[in-house]
Amino acid sequence: MKNALLVSLLSLASTTALANATSSVVQTEQAPTRAGYSSVDEVIEYGRQYQEIKGQLLDAGYELQSCNQHVLNYFVQPASAVYLYAQAECTFSRSVGGDYSLETNYAMVKIDVEYHQFNQLFHEGTVNVNYVTVY
């Protein structure tokens, strides 16, 4: 009787542990790693890293001058699931020293836009900022 009770308790404990392990594996597979967007314009408009950098630049007195997109053309579609689809370059500027000064600070933000072939969504990739001062 004691052996039967011990075996039932052990089997119940192992079944519960297996169910918990299985549910945690399923949850991690379904969790999205990054936000996906339906176009390159949406990545630029809603991308988390770019929006943070843009907000910091605007708070520092920079003004957005222009944003240009460059779609990369491949001879053969890349075999990898995620590949670099386009790059966007946005230029911000700020006058230093008042209205009559010729000194200008520039910030050039480069955004990599990646495409996920299986999800058919665009993702924000690396975002880099370069600063230049022109006298």
Side-chain angles (χ1 to χ4, degrees):
M1 173 91 169
K2 290 181 184 177
N3 288 341
L5 181 59
L6 184 60
V7 169
S8 342
L9 288 174
L10 288 175
S11 67
L12 179 62
S14 65
T15 305
T16 305
L18 181 62
N20 288 341
T22 306
S23 66
S24 66
V25 169
V26 170
Q27 290 173 355
T28 58
E29 288 177 3
Q30 293 175 353
T33 55
R34 295 186 289 175
Y37 303 99
S38 61
S39 70
V40 176
D41 291 330
E42 284 187 5
V43 172
I44 296 169
E45 188 172 347
Y46 302 113
R48 184 186 58 80
Q49 293 176 7
Y50 174 64
Q51 291 306 314
E52 285 181 26
I53 292 169
K54 181 180 175 182
Q56 291 172 1
L57 290 171
L58 293 175
D59 289 345
Y62 284 85
E63 295 179 11
L64 178 63
Q65 298 302 316
S66 66
C67 274
N68 298 315
Q69 298 175 17
H70 308 284
V71 176
L72 302 174
N73 294 314
Y74 295 95
F75 289 112
V76 176
Q77 186 171 2
S80 63
V82 179
Y83 64 90
L84 183 63
Y85 180 83
Q87 289 184 325
E89 295 176 357
C90 297
T91 304
F92 294 82
S93 69
R94 167 178 83 165
S95 235
V96 179
D99 294 334
Y100 299 106
S101 175
L102 297 177
E103 184 178 345
T104 305
N105 290 338
Y106 289 95
M108 281 82 66
V109 182
K110 187 180 228 180
I111 308 154
D112 290 343
V113 179
E114 298 173 346
Y115 182 69
H116 194 287
Q117 293 189 56
F118 300 124
N119 294 348
Q120 297 181 350
L121 292 173
F122 296 93
H123 300 282
E124 179 182 40
T126 306
V127 179
N128 292 316
V129 183
N130 293 321
Y131 295 95
V132 175
T133 300
V134 176
Y135 298 97

